Short mmCIF file of all heavy atoms in Angstrom, two decimals:
data_model
loop_
_atom_site.label_atom_id
_atom_site.label_comp_id
_atom_site.label_asym_id
_atom_site.label_seq_id
_atom_site.Cartn_x
_atom_site.Cartn_y
_atom_site.Cartn_z
N GLY A 576 0.87 -1.09 -0.02
CA GLY A 576 -0.02 0.00 -0.05
C GLY A 576 0.85 1.31 0.01
O GLY A 576 2.07 1.20 0.16
N GLY A 577 0.18 2.48 -0.24
CA GLY A 577 0.93 3.64 -0.13
C GLY A 577 0.03 4.71 -0.74
O GLY A 577 -1.18 4.51 -0.86
N SER A 578 0.70 5.78 -1.16
CA SER A 578 -0.07 6.99 -1.64
C SER A 578 0.26 7.12 -3.09
O SER A 578 1.37 7.02 -3.54
CB SER A 578 0.38 8.31 -0.94
OG SER A 578 -0.03 8.14 0.46
N VAL A 579 -0.77 7.37 -4.02
CA VAL A 579 -0.65 7.52 -5.53
C VAL A 579 -1.59 8.42 -5.98
O VAL A 579 -2.69 8.70 -5.31
CB VAL A 579 -0.83 6.19 -6.06
CG1 VAL A 579 -2.24 5.58 -5.92
CG2 VAL A 579 -0.53 6.18 -7.58
N GLN A 580 -1.28 9.17 -7.00
CA GLN A 580 -2.22 10.03 -7.68
C GLN A 580 -3.35 9.31 -8.46
O GLN A 580 -3.15 8.18 -8.86
CB GLN A 580 -1.52 11.07 -8.63
CG GLN A 580 -0.60 12.03 -7.84
CD GLN A 580 0.09 12.97 -8.77
OE1 GLN A 580 -0.12 12.93 -9.94
NE2 GLN A 580 0.81 13.95 -8.19
N ALA A 581 -4.46 9.97 -8.71
CA ALA A 581 -5.46 9.34 -9.44
C ALA A 581 -4.98 8.94 -10.83
O ALA A 581 -4.23 9.70 -11.54
CB ALA A 581 -6.59 10.38 -9.64
N GLY A 582 -5.36 7.78 -11.26
CA GLY A 582 -4.85 7.19 -12.50
C GLY A 582 -3.63 6.41 -12.35
O GLY A 582 -3.27 5.63 -13.33
N GLY A 583 -2.94 6.35 -11.24
CA GLY A 583 -1.84 5.56 -10.95
C GLY A 583 -2.07 4.15 -10.64
O GLY A 583 -3.35 3.65 -10.64
N SER A 584 -1.11 3.40 -10.36
CA SER A 584 -1.17 1.96 -10.09
C SER A 584 -0.47 1.61 -8.87
O SER A 584 0.49 2.15 -8.39
CB SER A 584 -0.63 1.17 -11.17
OG SER A 584 -1.39 1.35 -12.35
N LEU A 585 -0.99 0.60 -8.13
CA LEU A 585 -0.32 -0.11 -7.00
C LEU A 585 -0.51 -1.68 -7.15
O LEU A 585 -1.51 -2.06 -7.58
CB LEU A 585 -0.93 0.45 -5.70
CG LEU A 585 -0.54 1.75 -5.21
CD1 LEU A 585 -1.33 2.15 -3.96
CD2 LEU A 585 0.97 1.82 -4.89
N ARG A 586 0.39 -2.37 -6.52
CA ARG A 586 0.27 -3.80 -6.43
C ARG A 586 0.44 -4.21 -4.99
O ARG A 586 1.43 -4.08 -4.42
CB ARG A 586 1.37 -4.50 -7.32
CG ARG A 586 1.40 -5.98 -7.35
CD ARG A 586 2.45 -6.56 -8.28
NE ARG A 586 2.40 -8.02 -8.35
CZ ARG A 586 1.65 -8.70 -9.31
NH1 ARG A 586 0.83 -7.97 -10.19
NH2 ARG A 586 1.68 -9.93 -9.26
N LEU A 587 -0.74 -4.83 -4.44
CA LEU A 587 -0.72 -5.31 -3.22
C LEU A 587 -0.41 -6.73 -3.08
O LEU A 587 -0.63 -7.38 -4.00
CB LEU A 587 -2.13 -5.05 -2.46
CG LEU A 587 -2.70 -3.66 -2.55
CD1 LEU A 587 -4.05 -3.66 -1.77
CD2 LEU A 587 -1.70 -2.69 -2.00
N SER A 588 0.32 -7.13 -2.02
CA SER A 588 0.70 -8.53 -1.80
C SER A 588 0.14 -8.92 -0.49
O SER A 588 0.04 -8.12 0.48
CB SER A 588 2.25 -8.63 -1.92
OG SER A 588 2.74 -8.40 -3.01
N CYS A 589 -0.27 -10.29 -0.34
CA CYS A 589 -0.63 -10.85 0.85
C CYS A 589 0.04 -12.11 1.01
O CYS A 589 -0.13 -13.20 0.37
CB CYS A 589 -2.22 -11.12 0.82
SG CYS A 589 -2.78 -12.01 2.25
N ALA A 590 1.07 -12.14 1.90
CA ALA A 590 1.81 -13.39 2.20
C ALA A 590 1.27 -14.26 3.27
O ALA A 590 0.84 -13.70 4.39
CB ALA A 590 3.31 -12.93 2.63
N ALA A 591 1.13 -15.48 3.18
CA ALA A 591 0.57 -16.35 4.05
C ALA A 591 1.53 -17.33 4.69
O ALA A 591 2.60 -17.81 3.97
CB ALA A 591 -0.50 -17.28 3.41
N SER A 592 1.33 -17.56 5.93
CA SER A 592 2.19 -18.53 6.65
C SER A 592 1.34 -19.57 7.34
O SER A 592 0.10 -19.25 7.54
CB SER A 592 3.09 -17.86 7.70
OG SER A 592 2.38 -17.16 8.74
N GLY A 593 1.82 -20.65 7.64
CA GLY A 593 0.98 -21.63 8.21
C GLY A 593 0.82 -22.84 7.28
O GLY A 593 1.68 -22.94 6.31
N ARG A 594 -0.11 -23.63 7.52
CA ARG A 594 -0.32 -24.94 6.66
C ARG A 594 -1.41 -24.82 5.73
O ARG A 594 -2.41 -24.06 5.99
CB ARG A 594 -0.48 -26.13 7.61
CG ARG A 594 0.71 -26.43 8.53
CD ARG A 594 0.50 -27.73 9.24
NE ARG A 594 -0.64 -27.73 10.12
CZ ARG A 594 -1.15 -28.68 10.81
NH1 ARG A 594 -0.56 -29.95 10.54
NH2 ARG A 594 -2.10 -28.61 11.61
N ALA A 595 -1.34 -25.45 4.61
CA ALA A 595 -2.45 -25.72 3.66
C ALA A 595 -2.91 -24.46 3.07
O ALA A 595 -4.16 -24.29 2.82
CB ALA A 595 -3.52 -26.43 4.32
N PHE A 596 -2.00 -23.46 2.69
CA PHE A 596 -2.39 -22.34 2.00
C PHE A 596 -3.23 -22.55 0.67
O PHE A 596 -4.27 -21.87 0.43
CB PHE A 596 -1.24 -21.54 1.69
CG PHE A 596 -1.40 -20.31 0.79
CD1 PHE A 596 -2.08 -19.20 1.30
CD2 PHE A 596 -1.06 -20.29 -0.49
CE1 PHE A 596 -2.37 -18.06 0.48
CE2 PHE A 596 -1.35 -19.25 -1.33
CZ PHE A 596 -1.96 -18.09 -0.78
N ASN A 597 -2.83 -23.69 0.00
CA ASN A 597 -3.41 -23.91 -1.31
C ASN A 597 -4.81 -24.61 -1.13
O ASN A 597 -5.42 -24.84 -2.16
CB ASN A 597 -2.56 -24.72 -2.18
CG ASN A 597 -2.20 -26.00 -1.64
OD1 ASN A 597 -2.53 -26.25 -0.44
ND2 ASN A 597 -1.51 -26.94 -2.44
N ASN A 598 -5.38 -24.74 0.09
CA ASN A 598 -6.67 -25.20 0.32
C ASN A 598 -7.68 -24.17 0.52
O ASN A 598 -8.87 -24.43 0.70
CB ASN A 598 -6.66 -26.21 1.52
CG ASN A 598 -5.98 -27.51 1.26
OD1 ASN A 598 -5.77 -27.92 0.06
ND2 ASN A 598 -5.53 -28.08 2.36
N TYR A 599 -7.23 -22.87 0.46
CA TYR A 599 -8.07 -21.80 0.83
C TYR A 599 -8.32 -20.91 -0.46
O TYR A 599 -7.43 -20.63 -1.22
CB TYR A 599 -7.49 -20.96 1.89
CG TYR A 599 -7.45 -21.63 3.19
CD1 TYR A 599 -6.40 -22.40 3.48
CD2 TYR A 599 -8.38 -21.41 4.18
CE1 TYR A 599 -6.32 -23.04 4.64
CE2 TYR A 599 -8.39 -21.95 5.40
CZ TYR A 599 -7.27 -22.79 5.74
OH TYR A 599 -7.22 -23.37 6.95
N GLY A 600 -9.59 -20.39 -0.54
CA GLY A 600 -9.81 -19.30 -1.43
C GLY A 600 -9.44 -17.93 -0.82
O GLY A 600 -9.34 -17.88 0.52
N MET A 601 -8.93 -17.10 -1.55
CA MET A 601 -8.36 -15.84 -1.10
C MET A 601 -9.20 -14.69 -1.51
O MET A 601 -9.51 -14.52 -2.74
CB MET A 601 -6.91 -15.60 -1.42
CG MET A 601 -6.09 -16.90 -1.00
SD MET A 601 -5.97 -16.96 0.87
CE MET A 601 -5.06 -15.47 1.27
N GLY A 602 -9.39 -13.69 -0.69
CA GLY A 602 -10.17 -12.41 -1.02
C GLY A 602 -9.54 -11.32 -0.64
O GLY A 602 -8.79 -11.22 0.31
N TRP A 603 -9.90 -10.14 -1.19
CA TRP A 603 -9.47 -8.87 -0.93
C TRP A 603 -10.76 -7.95 -0.57
O TRP A 603 -11.63 -7.98 -1.34
CB TRP A 603 -8.73 -8.07 -1.99
CG TRP A 603 -7.28 -8.55 -2.22
CD1 TRP A 603 -6.77 -9.39 -3.10
CD2 TRP A 603 -6.16 -8.20 -1.44
NE1 TRP A 603 -5.38 -9.61 -2.99
CE2 TRP A 603 -5.02 -8.84 -1.88
CE3 TRP A 603 -5.97 -7.30 -0.36
CZ2 TRP A 603 -3.73 -8.60 -1.43
CZ3 TRP A 603 -4.68 -7.15 0.14
CH2 TRP A 603 -3.61 -7.71 -0.35
N PHE A 604 -10.64 -7.35 0.57
CA PHE A 604 -11.74 -6.38 1.01
C PHE A 604 -11.17 -5.13 1.34
O PHE A 604 -9.87 -4.94 1.45
CB PHE A 604 -12.43 -6.95 2.18
CG PHE A 604 -13.34 -8.21 1.97
CD1 PHE A 604 -12.72 -9.42 1.61
CD2 PHE A 604 -14.67 -8.12 2.07
CE1 PHE A 604 -13.61 -10.49 1.43
CE2 PHE A 604 -15.57 -9.24 1.84
CZ PHE A 604 -14.94 -10.36 1.48
N ARG A 605 -11.97 -4.03 1.39
CA ARG A 605 -11.51 -2.69 1.75
C ARG A 605 -12.52 -2.06 2.73
O ARG A 605 -13.72 -2.33 2.58
CB ARG A 605 -11.18 -1.92 0.59
CG ARG A 605 -12.34 -1.47 -0.26
CD ARG A 605 -11.92 -0.83 -1.60
NE ARG A 605 -12.98 -0.32 -2.44
CZ ARG A 605 -12.91 0.06 -3.71
NH1 ARG A 605 -11.75 0.15 -4.27
NH2 ARG A 605 -13.85 0.48 -4.34
N GLN A 606 -11.98 -1.17 3.40
CA GLN A 606 -12.79 -0.31 4.41
C GLN A 606 -12.31 1.19 4.27
O GLN A 606 -11.19 1.38 4.76
CB GLN A 606 -12.60 -0.93 5.69
CG GLN A 606 -13.66 -0.30 6.68
CD GLN A 606 -13.71 -1.08 8.03
OE1 GLN A 606 -12.82 -1.92 8.37
NE2 GLN A 606 -14.64 -0.72 8.81
N ALA A 607 -13.20 2.00 3.87
CA ALA A 607 -13.03 3.38 3.74
C ALA A 607 -13.29 4.01 5.17
O ALA A 607 -14.16 3.47 5.91
CB ALA A 607 -13.62 3.93 2.63
N PRO A 608 -12.82 5.10 5.33
CA PRO A 608 -13.18 5.84 6.65
C PRO A 608 -14.59 6.00 6.88
O PRO A 608 -15.41 6.49 5.99
CB PRO A 608 -12.47 7.24 6.61
CG PRO A 608 -11.29 6.95 5.59
CD PRO A 608 -11.83 5.98 4.58
N GLY A 609 -15.14 5.56 7.97
CA GLY A 609 -16.61 5.67 8.23
C GLY A 609 -17.42 4.76 7.51
O GLY A 609 -18.69 4.88 7.66
N GLU A 610 -16.96 3.79 6.81
CA GLU A 610 -17.64 2.86 6.09
C GLU A 610 -17.41 1.40 6.58
O GLU A 610 -16.42 1.14 7.29
CB GLU A 610 -17.30 2.90 4.54
CG GLU A 610 -17.45 4.29 3.95
CD GLU A 610 -18.86 4.74 3.88
OE1 GLU A 610 -19.79 3.77 3.80
OE2 GLU A 610 -19.16 5.96 3.76
N GLU A 611 -18.27 0.51 6.09
CA GLU A 611 -18.07 -1.05 6.51
C GLU A 611 -17.11 -1.66 5.52
O GLU A 611 -16.81 -1.08 4.37
CB GLU A 611 -19.38 -1.67 6.53
CG GLU A 611 -20.12 -1.71 5.15
CD GLU A 611 -21.40 -2.45 5.17
OE1 GLU A 611 -21.88 -2.80 6.22
OE2 GLU A 611 -22.09 -2.55 4.05
N ARG A 612 -16.44 -2.76 5.91
CA ARG A 612 -15.71 -3.41 5.05
C ARG A 612 -16.42 -4.18 3.95
O ARG A 612 -17.31 -4.92 4.21
CB ARG A 612 -14.96 -4.58 5.98
CG ARG A 612 -13.77 -5.16 5.16
CD ARG A 612 -12.92 -6.11 6.04
NE ARG A 612 -12.48 -5.53 7.12
CZ ARG A 612 -11.57 -5.94 8.02
NH1 ARG A 612 -11.37 -7.30 8.04
NH2 ARG A 612 -11.23 -5.32 9.12
N VAL A 613 -16.03 -3.93 2.73
CA VAL A 613 -16.78 -4.44 1.59
C VAL A 613 -15.82 -5.22 0.62
O VAL A 613 -14.62 -5.18 0.64
CB VAL A 613 -17.37 -3.28 0.81
CG1 VAL A 613 -18.36 -2.56 1.44
CG2 VAL A 613 -16.30 -2.35 0.18
N PHE A 614 -16.46 -6.20 -0.11
CA PHE A 614 -15.82 -7.07 -1.00
C PHE A 614 -15.15 -6.36 -2.14
O PHE A 614 -15.82 -5.42 -2.77
CB PHE A 614 -16.78 -8.03 -1.49
CG PHE A 614 -16.25 -8.98 -2.66
CD1 PHE A 614 -15.39 -10.01 -2.35
CD2 PHE A 614 -16.66 -8.77 -3.98
CE1 PHE A 614 -14.90 -10.74 -3.42
CE2 PHE A 614 -16.19 -9.47 -5.02
CZ PHE A 614 -15.31 -10.51 -4.71
N VAL A 615 -13.99 -6.81 -2.65
CA VAL A 615 -13.35 -6.26 -3.73
C VAL A 615 -13.02 -7.27 -4.75
O VAL A 615 -13.42 -7.19 -5.94
CB VAL A 615 -11.96 -5.60 -3.42
CG1 VAL A 615 -11.20 -5.13 -4.65
CG2 VAL A 615 -12.19 -4.36 -2.39
N ALA A 616 -12.36 -8.35 -4.37
CA ALA A 616 -11.98 -9.47 -5.33
C ALA A 616 -11.80 -10.76 -4.59
O ALA A 616 -11.49 -10.73 -3.41
CB ALA A 616 -10.76 -9.09 -6.09
#
């Protein structure tokens, strides 16, 4: 994460530790200030 101007790009990573990572579906959610956490991908 970080700060970027409109029209720019970022690449987020999520590193997992523990067992059986490949047995899980993975999702991205986001939460804006004053808002609930919502589905992204």
Side-chain angles (χ1 to χ4, degrees):
S578 298
V579 65
Q580 294 183 356
S584 298
L585 286 172
R586 184 178 180 87
L587 306 183
S588 298
C589 175
S592 62
R594 297 189 295 174
F596 171 76
N597 60 353
N598 290 337
Y599 292 84
M601 303 294 296
W603 286 98
F604 288 69
R605 67 189 184 188
Q606 186 168 15
E610 304 291 337
E611 64 182 3
R612 190 175 301 184
V613 297
F614 170 75
V615 174

